[in-house]
Amino acid sequence: MSNRLNISFLGKKLNNPIMTASGCFGYGLEYKNYFNPNELGAAVLKGITMEPRNGNPGTRIAETPSGMLNSVGLENPGIEEFKKLIPSIKKELNIPLVANINGKILEEYIEIAKEVEQIEEIEMVELNISCPNVKDGGMAFGANPEMARLVTREVRKVLSKPMIVKLSPNVTNIVEIAKIVEEEGANGVALINTLLGMAVDIRKRKPILGNIMGGLSGPAVKPVALRMIYQVSQAVSIPVLGMGGISSTEDAIEFIMVGASAISLGTGMFGNPTLPIEIKKGLEKYCIENNIENISEIVGAAHPDGGAAYRNRLGGNNEIKG
Amino acid sequence: MFLEDVKVIENIQIADNYYLMRVEGKKIPQHSKPGQFFMLQCKDNSKVLRRPISLHNVDGNILEFYYEALGKGTKEFTQLSIGETINVQGPLGNGYDTDLKGKNIVVIGGGMGMAPIKYLIKDLKDNNDITFIGGGRNAGAVKIIEKFDFENIQLKVATDDGSVGIKGNTVDILKEVLKDQHIDIIYTCGPHPMMEAVAKVAQENNIRCQISLEERMACGIKACVGCSILTKKGMKKVCYDGPVFESTDIVDVDVVDPNGGCK
């Protein structure tokens, strides 16, 4: 494999721009029977909170046209158990691990950030201010610009590791919120989290999901994700981790061309467990066929100026030559 | 892990919405256990999730799936013709504990819950005495039993409408069986109210009972945490910790879909 897919992302050298979407990849080893997880650029692990959470009751999954709804509600074993898990994960994964952190209230975000700061094996942090499936915290932080500012600012004070803020698409003006978190010290933004939706069981005459509403993901949300990444990447000077319905190499290229420096895979892996490998090979092939020395050359290529201004603002931070 | 396009060699309607599909692959895993399941991929890309289908039987390079065509995905499976391929992933989850010898066993299958029963009995029958109780709404729901090749098995059938076997349900038969003989373990798969009633009878008689639960799932390998249920041992994933559970571990049976049966 050449170095066409090598990138620098938030100061970390990644073998390729392919990552996992938090909540879709367990704690890093669940897919190892289907592909070597070390083939990924980085692994974003399932979201954690300070205390263990049971998540939401009842049916949590519903399939929708070209998509799915979930209302898992951040079921996780809590930070203490997470800390015990990490060394065994790191034994098998020599790629950067990204912790996805969540809180119900501001203080919990700060506390968990302090904990993750201490975990040596965690190289980056994804600050989740956009989970649509928890009553407290989650999307409440990501949907309100001032709350997004506050939580990013306060977490930044206690976290020195590179921080990606995962934004909610369930807002009127995503650019405004992206600019705010950048101002407050985010090193990157991840978008999009799931779109709030619902589905009804017409036989039972009630919502399918136990939590009534859930997060919509899959190919159905791809046009929304592309639009938001396109808008945000023209307004900020930090890298975008793009996700939302990527299920092929062509999808991945679209995301990069609208401004994503790296991409995350989620729902697409459920139907196709070897998707990351297919996309990795596909991107490599695309670069060769199109005489692209490094994949980062096409970040933002679909911008009106071909992405030159954005790539310039990123300062070549994405690219590793040689 | 087996992830492969396999060839459909038979796909027939058994009754109503019940179908039996046999597929052939080059490297079918022989280590599958009764009670495990496979994730079957739809050809229509707009269906983003695979469908969890119980393993009905393994026979050399052939996998058998007994499935109910209820939703758009499983209805698509009914249209697969001989020679077409389908991508299957598995075996997944745990299975029934069949490492037993010289035991008196009751196996209870209700309706679609007959899916894992064929393989389960095949695995148990040489070393144990088995009473199989099959039940369903009507003759169609128990018709698959005709395709079971059982020898030296006590077979008892009940239907709600009395069209086949006795008019009644599997739990009534279970109670009668327990009057006559000592039973070491009960395995069941079927509609949730049936399994709940079976589990209660088992607990009242201090008999170990294994049940197979069903939940909607996305990944099938505990990566998405979509199929978690609350058990006495904490949150468990139906796809990975199950689908087979000890009945006594299930705290609140209402936490699973009341319309659910088994994988």
Side-chain angles (χ1 to χ4, degrees):
Chain A
M1 199 59 91
S2 70
N3 56 16
R4 285 186 173 86
L5 301 187
N6 295 358
I7 63 161
S8 172
F9 185 74
L10 275 57
K12 303 285 177 187
K13 288 179 180 178
L14 307 188
N15 291 330
N16 61 71
I18 303 164
M19 298 166 68
T20 51
S22 179
C24 302
F25 194 61
Y27 289 102
L29 302 176
E30 281 75 0
Y31 276 90
K32 70 176 184 179
N33 285 327
Y34 303 96
F35 66 89
N36 179 357
N38 286 309
E39 297 259 343
L40 293 163
V44 184
L45 308 179
K46 165 103 182 103
I48 45 164
T49 53
M50 277 301 286
E51 302 299 325
R53 283 199 198 181
N54 282 350
N56 292 328
T59 301
R60 293 175 170 186
I61 302 285
E63 196 181 63
T64 62
S66 295
M68 64 172 271
L69 290 161
N70 88 83
S71 66
V72 170
L74 283 174
E75 179 188 334
N76 80 94
I79 186 70
E80 287 306 317
E81 196 59 32
F82 182 77
K83 283 196 278 191
K84 290 179 201 162
L85 280 171
I86 286 294
S88 57
I89 296 169
K90 196 60 197 173
K91 262 184 199 166
E92 296 196 50
L93 293 191
N94 53 31
I95 53 173
L97 300 182
V98 185
N100 175 288
I101 62 170
N102 303 267
K104 275 187 182 170
I105 54 174
L106 178 64
E107 288 71 22
E108 190 184 350
Y109 274 109
I110 297 167
E111 286 310 305
I112 195 155
K114 283 181 183 170
E115 291 280 348
V116 171
E117 175 75 4
Q118 301 302 319
I119 306 175
E120 198 181 326
E121 296 91 342
I122 297 297
E123 293 194 33
M124 289 182 261
V125 172
E126 186 175 75
L127 178 66
N128 187 1
I129 58 169
S130 47
C131 179
N133 293 324
V134 288
K135 281 188 183 130
D136 309 302
M139 201 171 81
F141 283 93
N144 178 323
E146 287 316 305
M147 292 288 278
R149 180 187 296 283
L150 184 65
V151 68
T152 307
R153 177 186 293 170
E154 295 302 316
V155 167
R156 181 79 288 174
K157 285 179 187 169
V158 299
L159 186 75
S160 67
K161 294 180 182 188
M163 174 172 68
I164 309 160
V165 180
K166 189 166 182 177
L167 303 181
S168 172
N170 301 296
V171 295
T172 309
N173 187 349
I174 191 139
V175 173
E176 177 192 12
I177 295 175
K179 287 167 80 169
I180 284 173
V181 301
E182 181 184 18
E183 278 170 27
E184 299 301 336
N187 305 101
V189 285
L191 54 151
I192 59 174
N193 205 323
T194 53
L195 283 155
L196 197 57
M198 72 178 288
V200 174
D201 183 330
I202 60 170
R203 279 174 293 204
K204 294 183 194 166
R205 301 185 179 193
K206 60 180 195 179
I208 290 176
L209 297 177
N211 201 40
I212 301 174
M213 287 176 275
L216 178 66
S217 60
V221 310
K222 197 184 96 175
V224 179
L226 290 172
R227 182 267 290 182
M228 288 185 164
I229 295 165
Y230 182 79
Q231 290 178 309
V232 166
S233 59
Q234 290 181 71
V236 299
S237 304
I238 50 177
V240 174
L241 173 59
M243 68 198 79
I246 299 172
S247 59
S248 67
T249 300
E250 291 74 17
D251 291 343
I253 295 168
E254 276 192 80
F255 273 73
I256 295 167
M257 286 186 169
V258 293
S261 293
I263 54 154
S264 277
L265 307 178
T267 304
M269 289 172 61
F270 299 153
N272 180 5
T274 57
L275 182 63
I277 303 304
E278 283 179 28
I279 292 181
K280 191 176 167 181
K281 286 179 183 164
L283 289 180
E284 180 82 17
K285 185 165 175 271
Y286 176 83
C287 286
I288 292 168
E289 287 174 355
N290 291 278
N291 205 22
I292 294 166
E293 196 179 328
N294 187 275
I295 191 76
S296 56
E297 291 170 27
I298 59 165
V299 170
H303 290 183
D305 69 344
Y310 180 50
R311 290 195 298 275
N312 197 35
R313 289 200 302 280
L314 290 177
N317 190 28
N318 257 55
E319 195 172 346
I320 298 174
K321 298 267 189 187
Chain B
M1 191 59 64
F2 190 68
L3 178 71
E4 191 175 298
D5 286 332
V6 291
K7 196 163 70 175
V8 175
I9 55 171
E10 189 176 13
N11 193 17
I12 55 170
Q13 187 174 21
I14 299 295
D16 304 328
N17 292 325
Y18 302 118
Y19 289 78
L20 180 67
M21 176 160 59
R22 300 172 80 231
V23 299
E24 188 175 35
K26 286 176 184 154
K27 294 174 286 185
I28 297 289
Q30 299 298 308
H31 56 270
S32 312
K33 286 178 71 177
Q36 289 187 301
F37 66 98
F38 278 69
M39 297 289 273
L40 274 56
Q41 191 179 38
C42 297
K43 287 197 192 292
D44 175 359
N45 285 338
S46 73
K47 300 180 183 80
V48 296
L49 302 180
R50 288 168 178 255
R51 268 51 178 176
I53 304 287
S54 182
L55 180 59
H56 188 55
N57 194 26
V58 184
D59 186 5
N61 286 337
I62 294 167
L63 292 175
E64 294 182 3
F65 300 108
Y66 176 53
Y67 65 99
E68 186 171 17
L70 269 186
K72 287 175 185 168
T74 43
K75 280 178 183 161
E76 183 192 302
F77 295 156
T78 68
Q79 301 304 309
L80 286 167
S81 307
I82 292 170
E84 279 191 78
T85 58
I86 180 168
N87 191 273
V88 302
Q89 172 192 5
L92 300 170
N94 68 3
Y96 291 99
D97 173 13
T98 57
D99 191 13
L100 303 172
K101 272 186 183 171
K103 301 292 184 190
N104 286 324
I105 296 170
V106 172
V107 175
I108 304 174
M112 212 34 238
M114 226 78 80
I117 299 300
K118 180 176 178 182
Y119 193 26
L120 178 61
I121 292 177
K122 182 174 143 184
D123 209 29
L124 289 167
K125 68 184 175 61
D126 290 341
N127 298 316
N128 303 280
D129 287 327
I130 296 173
T131 301
F132 168 53
I133 306 170
R137 287 189 306 276
N138 51 35
V142 297
K143 198 166 172 55
I144 188 73
I145 295 173
E146 294 171 11
K147 290 204 163 273
F148 291 0
D149 180 20
F150 295 156
E151 286 174 14
N152 306 319
I153 302 293
Q154 286 196 62
L155 173 63
K156 297 172 186 293
V157 179
T159 47
D160 292 348
D161 63 4
S163 53
V164 178
I166 68 157
K167 185 174 163 86
N169 64 51
T170 54
V171 185
D172 298 332
I173 298 179
L174 172 65
K175 287 176 180 169
E176 289 300 314
V177 170
L178 293 179
K179 280 181 193 169
D180 296 337
Q181 51 180 309
H182 167 78
I183 296 298
D184 298 299
I185 184 166
I186 298 169
Y187 299 95
T188 185
C189 184
H192 203 265
M194 185 200 89
M195 290 198 294
E196 189 181 350
V198 168
K200 278 182 184 164
V201 172
Q203 283 169 39
E204 283 162 12
N205 289 275
N206 204 24
I207 301 169
R208 185 183 172 200
C209 177
Q210 288 200 311
I211 64 176
S212 181
L213 299 182
E214 181 172 44
E215 257 304 334
R216 286 171 189 251
M217 55 183 69
C219 70
I221 54 172
K222 79 177 170 70
C224 75
V225 199
C227 62
S228 282
I229 56 162
L230 182 61
T231 74
K232 280 184 185 170
K233 293 178 177 169
M235 298 304 289
K236 296 287 179 188
K237 319 290 176 286
V238 170
C239 73
Y240 184 82
D241 303 303
V244 177
F245 291 90
E246 298 293 333
S247 65
T248 47
D249 286 345
I250 305 303
V251 174
D252 178 0
V253 286
D254 291 333
V255 296
V256 295
D257 184 349
N259 286 342
C262 57
K263 290 270 79 63

